[in-house]
Each structure stands twice: as C-alpha cells, then as structure tokens.
Amino acid sequence: MAEVHVMDHPLIQHKINFIRRKEVGSKDFRSIVGEIAALMCYEATRDLKLQDVEIETPICKMVGKELSGKKLAVVPILRAGLGMVDGMLNMIPAAKVGHIGLYRDPETFKPVEYYCKLPADCDEREVFVVDPMLATGGSSSAAITMLKEKGVKHIRFMCILAAPEGVARMQKDHPDVDLYIGALDECLNEHAYIVPGLGDAGDRIFGTK
Ligand code: URA
C-alpha cells in the first residue's frame, strides 16, 4: 500500500493557511504556492539515496555525501501544477520537467490526454507528479496511468490540499505511488471543490476567473 505523508512542518502549515484566505491575490498566492512546493519537495526527498564522494576542500581531502541513485523529474498536471514547478526546481535544479494535460470528455466524463511531453529517459527517473489539489482523484489517477503506460516506473504524487475521496481513489488505483500532501481537508462539496479548501487553484495562480 502507498505511503501517505501529510506534512507536519509548521512553515508548510502556516503558508497553506495563509493562501486559503479568499482575499489573497494572485501575486501572493502564486509566490507562496512556490514556497510551499519547495518546502514539500524538501520533505518528499528525505529518503533519496546518497553515496560517498571524495573531494578536496581548500583545507584538506574528505569523503562527503552526494545524491546517487535515480535522476529526478517533475511532471506538473496542466494547468495548476505549473504553479509548483519553480519551487520544486529551486530544491532540485537538475531535475528534468515533463508536462501532462488532460480534459474531461463532456459525454463520457472520462479524462482524455491532450498534451504529454516527457523527458526521453523518464522511465529511469524518479518522477514527482505535482498538482496543487487532489479532489476526486480522477485526473491525477488518469495522469499517473498515462505515465505508467509510457513506461514510467517510479512515481510520487505531491499536492498542497487533498480530500479524503481523492486519497482513497489514488490508493485504490495506484497502491505503488506514495502521496505527499500539504494538508488533508474534510470533504468535497457538490461541485467537487475541496472543503474548506482554497477555491480554484488554477484561477488563483493565474488570475483567471
Ligand atoms: N481543483 C481546484 O482547483 N480546487 C478544488 O477545490 C478542487 C479541484
């Protein structure tokens, strides 16, 4: 079963609480989403493998630790996931970035891929799929299924807010994908918005409505 990590760092909780407020405008919302993504990236990379590396400081030789193991990639789910990319790259600047876009077919209600561009070696990378809101889990689950169909093997999913419904859906569909959640909210409302939530993350990041 997938591990579910709900962030307990005070800075993450403080910043999430700040952007929930309806009066926070796009400029602040966008920059704080970036800060939250960076802090969550720090927490979600705690278990990355290290290797011993011999280096020379201005004083002497030493054996230090550097990242080893799989290279990393960040894959935002369009559009709101874009708001988390810069924050992630601040922490892991060597990561490659892919993009995946889905829309819901108005007749079948099934998610349809309209865009997907991934790093060529994505199948060998540890891939962090990012989307600020895990609501029903429909599009996140579909995005991860599509990545798996393209050969991606190692996936983690990161969101700022999650509803229990979305967590349950992800655990059922993708028990191999660990979840990193900024805050776990109460439920979904009748429009599939997270409650208490923060509204439409994409609109708030990009100033659209
Ligand atoms: N997507 C959003 O942007 N907000 C929600 O509350 C649910 C899905």
Side-chain angles (χ1 to χ4, degrees):
M1 183 54 95
E3 288 175 18
V4 179
H5 304 263
V6 181
M7 302 291 123
D8 60 358
H9 197 293
L11 287 177
I12 297 176
Q13 294 184 37
H14 178 86
K15 287 172 192 289
I16 290 175
N17 200 55
F18 186 85
I19 61 168
R20 285 181 189 276
R21 291 181 166 86
K22 62 181 183 186
E23 64 273 19
V24 172
S26 277
K27 180 170 164 290
D28 288 339
F29 190 91
R30 188 166 46 236
S31 81
I32 295 166
V33 162
E35 292 172 15
I36 294 166
L39 291 166
M40 289 187 64
C41 181
Y42 175 82
E43 294 283 5
T45 49
R46 275 181 180 281
D47 62 340
L48 293 186
K49 302 268 179 303
L50 292 170
Q51 64 185 357
D52 289 343
V53 179
E54 193 177 308
I55 58 164
E56 200 168 348
T57 75
I59 311 298
C60 66
K61 286 189 175 171
M62 67 166 280
V63 176
K65 303 274 185 201
E66 288 185 358
L67 288 175
S68 67
K70 285 183 210 60
K71 293 187 183 144
L72 308 176
V74 181
V75 176
I77 300 177
L78 302 178
R79 151 184 82 136
L82 290 174
M84 297 174 73
V85 174
D86 285 351
M88 297 284 294
L89 293 179
N90 284 342
M91 292 294 114
I92 46 172
K96 295 263 172 74
V97 182
H99 295 87
I100 187 158
L102 311 160
Y103 70 90
R104 189 171 293 276
D105 183 301
E107 275 161 25
T108 64
F109 300 113
K110 294 229 166 79
V112 181
E113 176 188 314
Y114 67 85
Y115 187 79
C116 185
K117 185 91 180 168
L118 302 175
D121 57 355
C122 220
D123 51 332
E124 292 158 21
R125 289 181 181 258
E126 183 79 44
V127 174
F128 291 82
V129 177
V130 297
D131 192 344
M133 309 298 273
L134 177 62
T136 63
S139 53
S140 304
S141 173
I144 289 170
T145 300
M146 286 168 194
L147 293 178
K148 287 180 176 174
E149 283 167 2
K150 292 172 202 301
V152 181
K153 294 180 203 76
H154 306 281
I155 303 176
R156 304 177 190 209
F157 179 82
M158 194 184 292
C159 62
I160 293 178
L161 292 188
E165 294 90 329
V167 175
R169 171 79 184 264
M170 291 286 273
Q171 286 186 306
K172 176 170 161 282
D173 294 355
H174 300 292
D176 55 324
V177 174
D178 289 349
L179 305 179
Y180 296 87
I181 297 169
L184 184 58
D185 273 10
E186 284 161 27
C187 59
L188 296 176
N189 69 13
E190 64 278 21
H191 304 292
Y193 276 90
I194 297 176
V195 179
L198 50 70
D200 187 302
D203 280 345
R204 296 196 65 188
I205 290 167
F206 295 109
T208 49
K209 215 167 231 176

